[in-house]
Amino acid sequence: MAKIIVDAFGGDNSPLEVIKGCEMAIRKLGTEIILTGSADKIKKCASENNISLEGMKIVHTDDVFDIHDEPKEIIKSGKNTSMAIGMKLLSDNKGDAFVSAGSTGALVMGATFIVKRIKGIKRVAPAPILPADRGSFILLDAGANTECRPEMLVQFAIMGSAYMERVMGIKKPKVALLNIGTEETKGRELETETYKLLQKSGLNFAGNIEARDIPKGECQVVVTDGFTGNIVLKLYEGMGSFFSKKMKWLYSGIGTVGALFSINKIKAFKKQMDYRETGGSALMGVKKPVIKAHGSSDAKAFFNAIRQAQKFADGKVVESIENYVKILSEREQTE
């Protein structure tokens, strides 16, 4: 069973919701947990809320990374924070994966310079799993790398494919390049050159995809630069909130009989759009699994982030990426 390191003081609802999520993971998944943060505060919070800490080891530090601090400080003045210590433990093989709801920028920086990138991978990329009409898809980059080169987008496609196959159980996931049209000549130089590379990558490349077609779920890996990807992610989150509110209004106006026929479908839709069901975004390209949980995560979200981290580690996603990068490199050398 995987050993998961969790930043007890990352996110808006720490440490209470973090501890509750960890307790749930131990009870339901049999996970072994290492918490990083103030031992006194963790124990006090657990005692006041009748939460068992059995199965949790605490690695103490009083320092917490402030969400307003510059991300680069995670490897400087912030090296003794609960987030940095968690990643150092991961780097030192004290655990199999790391979960934090703290600063995204600091987590990307720490994952890059503390945990380190997979050999051959140029950039770490946050990659959320988002719902679609048919299943779900992984989006990357979702915001870390605003300026990209074509070979970086190909690596995003490799990493996304490995994750969807090993963690989500989708054989030969379809890869699509986000663009302003489906023709291979569309887009900037970034997209046209990436298209050519993806065609000969050996991945299951389905061509360009327009933003309006993403929610259909016909492709399971959507790749783009971090600037565009973050806009897509924020719009997706905003529309999810919008539709949720509209569903409440619809439900209140359809009457008792109509509600009886609609409630299950409404609940299923709301569950599909609820970020807590996924847990967080995987940071792809790192030597060890790192999961970025939503800043406002509650116990349910932390539980699912831990479950996601466990599946990430057990699925040997990193090894799969390493193997494909090696194959691609050897292929390029013979061409």
Side-chain angles (χ1 to χ4, degrees):
M1 186 60 66
K3 183 185 293 183
I4 311 299
I5 305 162
V6 182
D7 176 5
F9 288 87
D12 303 333
N13 303 312
S14 63
L16 177 58
E17 296 300 318
V18 180
I19 300 169
K20 286 166 64 177
C22 289
E23 188 276 333
M24 198 184 304
I26 291 169
R27 178 165 39 88
K28 294 186 176 183
L29 306 175
T31 311
E32 188 176 348
I33 300 288
I34 298 176
L35 287 171
T36 59
S38 170
D40 291 340
K41 291 179 180 178
I42 291 170
K43 290 175 182 177
K44 181 181 178 182
C45 180
S47 176
E48 290 175 346
N49 293 278
N50 296 315
I51 303 170
S52 171
L53 293 177
E54 185 177 351
M56 300 184 215
K57 177 184 175 183
I58 301 172
V59 175
H60 174 78
T61 178
D62 285 320
D63 293 348
V64 177
F65 193 86
D66 193 302
I67 193 75
H68 300 105
D69 287 346
E70 284 290 325
K72 64 183 179 182
E73 292 303 317
I74 194 69
I75 56 175
K76 296 179 179 180
S77 62
K79 62 183 179 180
N80 291 319
T81 60
S82 55
M83 179 190 288
I85 287 177
M87 285 189 278
K88 184 65 168 61
L89 290 170
L90 183 65
S91 177
D92 292 341
N93 296 315
K94 302 298 184 183
D96 301 299
F98 177 62
V99 174
S100 177
S103 163
T104 301
L107 197 63
V108 170
M109 183 69 70
T112 301
F113 292 101
I114 300 174
V115 186
K116 304 291 176 54
R117 294 193 302 269
I118 296 169
K119 184 178 180 181
I121 294 296
K122 299 181 183 299
R123 292 289 188 276
V124 172
I129 301 293
L130 298 172
D133 188 42
R134 302 177 194 172
S136 59
F137 66 94
I138 191 169
L139 172 70
L140 65 174
D141 179 355
N145 305 286
T146 56
E147 295 184 8
C148 295
R149 300 188 299 277
E151 62 268 27
M152 291 166 60
L153 266 62
V154 174
Q155 290 188 348
F156 295 164
I158 291 169
M159 296 188 293
S161 296
Y163 188 92
M164 294 305 284
E165 185 165 347
R166 294 298 187 114
V167 177
M168 305 301 287
I170 299 171
K171 292 184 178 180
K172 297 190 70 175
K174 288 185 179 180
V175 175
L177 175 64
L178 184 58
N179 208 332
I180 58 172
T182 57
E183 302 91 337
E184 61 182 275
T185 55
K186 285 284 188 178
R188 303 163 293 184
E189 183 179 355
L190 173 64
E191 284 78 26
T192 55
E193 292 303 311
T194 300
Y195 192 103
K196 295 174 186 176
L197 293 178
L198 285 171
Q199 278 186 312
K200 57 182 182 180
S201 66
L203 298 169
N204 189 12
F205 180 51
N208 290 324
I209 189 170
E210 294 183 84
R212 65 185 176 188
D213 293 322
I214 292 176
K216 294 178 182 178
E218 293 175 356
C219 293
Q220 294 78 46
V221 181
V222 176
V223 295
T224 186
D225 61 276
F227 184 88
T228 308
N230 193 258
I231 292 173
V232 171
L233 174 62
K234 297 297 173 57
L235 178 61
Y236 224 81
E237 290 177 341
M239 291 305 295
S241 177
F242 170 75
F243 282 126
S244 181
K245 289 179 181 178
K246 285 295 181 182
M247 283 295 181
K248 288 181 181 178
W249 171 81
L250 177 63
Y251 175 63
S252 65
I254 58 179
T256 305
V257 176
L260 291 174
F261 289 99
S262 305
I263 186 64
N264 288 336
K265 290 183 178 180
I266 291 173
K267 284 183 176 179
F269 176 78
K270 289 183 69 176
K271 182 176 180 180
Q272 188 183 24
M273 296 303 293
D274 188 355
Y275 74 87
R276 298 177 304 165
E277 296 292 333
T278 302
S281 298
L283 292 193
M284 304 301 297
V286 190
K287 283 184 176 181
K288 292 286 191 75
V290 176
I291 300 295
K292 168 62 176 76
H294 199 285
S296 58
S297 292
D298 60 9
K300 180 179 181 180
F302 278 111
F303 164 75
N304 281 318
I306 292 167
R307 180 171 62 178
Q308 182 184 7
Q310 189 165 299
K311 291 175 71 175
F312 195 155
D314 292 342
K316 300 188 181 301
V317 178
V318 172
E319 290 86 341
S320 179
I321 294 171
E322 288 174 334
N323 289 337
Y324 198 92
V325 169
K326 183 179 179 181
I327 292 170
L328 194 62
S329 177
E330 291 173 349
R331 185 186 301 165
E332 289 173 350
Q333 290 174 8
T334 58
E335 288 180 353

